[in-house]
Amino acid sequence: MMLEVKDATIAVGEKILATNLSFIARDGELTCITGPEGSGKTAFIRTLMGFLPVKAGFVSVDGELLTVRSSHAFRRMMVYLPQTLQMLGHQLEEVAPEEPEEADYAVWDALLPKRAVVEAPAPLSSEAICQLAEKTIREAPDKPIIVADEPTALLTPEDTERLISLLKAQAAAGKTVLVASRKYQVISRADQVITLENDKS
């Protein structure tokens, strides 16, 4: 699997994040997208996933153009580890759902539209975030592309190394791995580093 960015201009609104950007992320490699805070790493990830169109140039997967319209098909080939991975902590719970009794539906119908307060999930530990990343990757063994947005931001150095090793192992198994990160631990282990800069105009 080969993901190519060619002569791309990436922008959010009127703010230009990158111009004439070209690189190829190949299977078997870990590509790190880095840059200062606010340089557009998350927006770049959104572009690579087809949520944000390029202003110029193109993004392609194995020679097929990735556009906002076609991106849903390409995203089926991707595992995504979001920056807010800890918000998905409920996926670690192995709880069998209970079958509600018929009378319960009337209670839900009366309550749900009026619920104004939604409890925020309890923050996950570094260990639990790492476990969740491992679980997400393990449950999608046939997807050839892994895209991760600051996956180690809340991890200890030990768990950061654990997750990097997992991502490197996925690359070694033939997958294309793209990670947005400012952590030196990630950058130093990448096969390719793409740097975004601030203050493009």
Side-chain angles (χ1 to χ4, degrees):
M1 189 64 61
M2 182 180 77
L3 192 152
E4 180 178 10
V5 179
K6 180 68 173 176
D7 297 328
T9 295
I10 296 169
V12 176
E14 298 302 315
K15 181 177 176 59
I16 304 296
L17 303 175
T19 58
N20 300 318
L21 183 63
S22 297
F23 73 90
I24 295 174
R26 295 181 174 86
D27 55 11
E29 295 183 352
L30 190 157
T31 296
C32 179
I33 302 160
T34 192
E37 186 174 355
S39 59
K41 296 182 294 298
T42 294
F44 192 23
I45 289 289
R46 288 176 60 81
T47 298
L48 295 179
M49 296 184 71
F51 290 115
L52 188 66
V54 292
K55 295 289 185 180
F58 66 84
V59 178
S60 68
V61 178
D62 275 1
E64 299 288 334
L65 284 181
L66 190 158
T67 66
V68 172
R69 283 190 173 184
S70 67
S71 61
H72 67 281
F74 291 107
R75 283 195 294 273
R76 293 194 187 107
M77 299 188 295
M78 299 179 181
V79 176
Y80 178 48
L81 301 178
Q83 192 170 6
T84 54
L85 190 64
Q86 65 169 350
M87 301 293 285
L88 305 178
H90 62 278
Q91 294 186 12
L92 289 175
E93 300 175 5
E94 301 293 340
V95 179
E98 295 183 5
E99 187 65 29
E101 297 180 6
E102 188 173 343
D104 289 338
Y105 289 109
V107 176
W108 294 347
D109 288 341
L111 290 179
L112 288 176
K114 299 175 184 178
R115 290 292 292 270
V117 178
V118 178
E119 292 184 9
L124 296 180
S125 66
S126 174
E127 166 77 12
I129 292 173
C130 202
Q131 288 178 354
L132 183 53
E134 291 171 341
K135 180 175 184 287
T136 301
I137 292 173
R138 185 172 64 247
E139 291 180 349
D142 298 326
K143 295 190 176 185
I145 301 174
I146 297 174
V147 179
D149 185 8
E150 298 281 6
T152 64
L154 300 176
L155 299 185
T156 64
E158 293 77 17
D159 285 329
T160 294
E161 183 61 32
R162 173 178 164 184
L163 184 54
I164 294 170
S165 296
L166 172 65
L167 293 173
K168 290 287 287 184
Q170 293 294 303
K175 295 189 179 184
T176 300
V177 181
L178 298 104
V179 182
S181 180
R182 292 189 296 149
K183 273 195 176 181
Y184 176 74
Q185 273 182 278
V186 181
I187 296 168
S188 64
R189 297 283 300 280
D191 300 294
Q192 176 177 214
V193 178
I194 309 300
T195 302
L196 304 181
E197 301 291 346
N198 273 328
D199 301 324
K200 297 281 185 182
S201 58

